[in-house]
Amino acid sequence: GKMGVACCPGSKRQWHTIVGFGSLLSQASAKSSFPSMRNFRLGRLRGWKRVFAHPAAIFFERKIAKMDTREIASLSIEPCADAYFTVALFEIPSAEIPEFYEREEEFNIVTVKVEDDSARTDDNDHVKALLTHVEALACARGTDELFLERWGQERFDARYKANGIDSIWDFKGTILPCRVYLRHCVLAVQKQGKDVLDDFLDNTFLYDRKTTVRAHLEANPGIMNEKPPPSLEARYSG
């Protein structure tokens, strides 16, 4: 069932900071997912790598997963000592936290320390010597065990097994980004300007942890020209 707020870190707080590292890098997309979100800004997350490495049930549900080409992967972050990338930060009311956990069902939602760009300058626009860090919740790589413990076998069978997926986090062999979702992410980050777009293209990796999204799109230029199904057009256009 629904998780009570009690399970979530710092549940005394009224607002929680969330890290966006895919489509949530777009303020419009963050707003459509979290209508009451506030204080949207950019930051930098160090010690984590951004990867397309696990199948997402929602892609099967929405019929945008392509099992024949294994284009079924969604985005997560995993610990990696020297990696870093640009993220969005925004706050949501604590009342919406259980819904956030429910929506991001397969992830291990962790608290990370993020460099907050909006705090880099003082009131006179002088760059401060010290970086300001903020604690925020992020969707990190999980485990199948954690999913089963949290949601039960029945939900796993219905959402994954029924679609031919035996494991979320130990998927065997090639797994490539879901086309419609990857296009959505690229359109979303484009709205933040060239620096954020370049960071996403060069600092997001495929399942092999080596191939960049930029290289993948250069090899598969059709991805950006593919329109989502009409019913999902609004949802998956950045």
Side-chain angles (χ1 to χ4, degrees), residues 19-26 29 50 75 181 184-186 188-189 200:
V19 177
F21 52 81
S23 59
L24 295 176
L25 274 159
S26 137
S29 182
R50 180 169 45 191
L75 206 48
Y181 177 69
H184 172 51
C185 288
V186 174
V189 295
F200 184 80

Side-chain angles (χ1 to χ4, degrees), residues 1 56 108 112 136 158 175 197 215 217-218 221:
N108 181 16
V112 292
I175 180 171
L197 173 64
L217 288 172
E218 280 168 3

Side-chain angles (χ1 to χ4, degrees), residues 7-214:
C7 73
C8 308
S11 53
K12 300 273 180 291
R13 292 212 305 271
Q14 297 304 293
W15 291 81
H16 293 261
T17 305
I18 304 287
V19 177
F21 52 81
S23 59
L24 295 176
L25 274 159
S26 137
Q27 189 158 0
S29 182
K31 198 97 184 130
S32 81
S33 298
F34 302 99
S36 36
M37 72 99 179
R38 68 177 193 192
N39 197 12
F40 185 96
R41 69 256 191 225
L42 295 177
R44 204 157 279 74
L45 179 58
R46 293 183 188 274
W48 295 82
K49 190 168 194 153
R50 180 169 45 191
V51 290
F52 277 98
H54 76 282
I58 193 95
F59 298 158
F60 289 92
E61 219 169 272
R62 292 180 172 157
K63 308 218 179 337
I64 56 171
K66 295 182 75 170
M67 202 57 170
D68 54 336
T69 54
R70 298 204 151 199
E71 289 171 298
I72 59 178
S74 188
L75 206 48
S76 65
I77 61 170
E78 58 189 30
C80 180
D82 48 1
Y84 63 92
F85 53 92
T86 298
V87 297
L89 292 166
F90 55 88
E91 288 146 28
I92 66 170
S94 51
E96 289 174 21
I97 287 284
E99 205 180 308
F100 170 64
Y101 272 72
E102 179 91 26
R103 214 188 68 163
E104 310 292 3
E105 62 175 12
E106 74 268 30
F107 298 98
N108 181 16
I109 297 187
V110 296
T111 301
V112 292
K113 275 194 161 57
V114 189
E115 294 171 10
D116 185 346
D117 282 2
S118 66
R120 286 302 323 260
T121 54
D122 62 21
D123 295 337
N124 303 316
D125 261 359
H126 293 126
V127 176
K128 292 180 185 165
L130 288 173
L131 283 172
T132 303
H133 288 85
V134 60
E135 288 202 336
L137 297 174
C139 295
R141 178 183 182 81
T143 62
D144 292 351
E145 290 70 35
L146 184 65
F147 185 97
L148 292 172
E149 192 182 303
R150 193 179 281 163
W151 308 111
Q153 185 72 46
E154 216 171 295
R155 182 153 168 175
F156 181 84
D157 292 349
R159 291 175 68 65
Y160 290 93
K161 273 247 162 57
N163 291 306
I165 303 290
D166 292 328
S167 169
I168 308 173
W169 295 106
D170 291 305
F171 190 88
K172 297 286 175 273
T174 305
I175 180 171
L176 299 170
C178 166
R179 295 171 83 88
V180 170
Y181 177 69
L182 173 56
R183 175 179 175 271
H184 172 51
C185 288
V186 174
L187 293 173
V189 295
Q190 271 176 350
K191 294 176 178 171
Q192 294 295 355
K194 187 169 167 16
D195 288 355
V196 179
L197 173 64
D198 285 342
D199 179 79
F200 184 80
L201 296 175
D202 296 323
N203 241 335
T204 309
F205 299 88
L206 267 49
Y207 77 106
D208 62 4
R209 283 28 177 210
K210 290 196 229 8
T211 307
T212 63
V213 161
R214 189 188 294 278

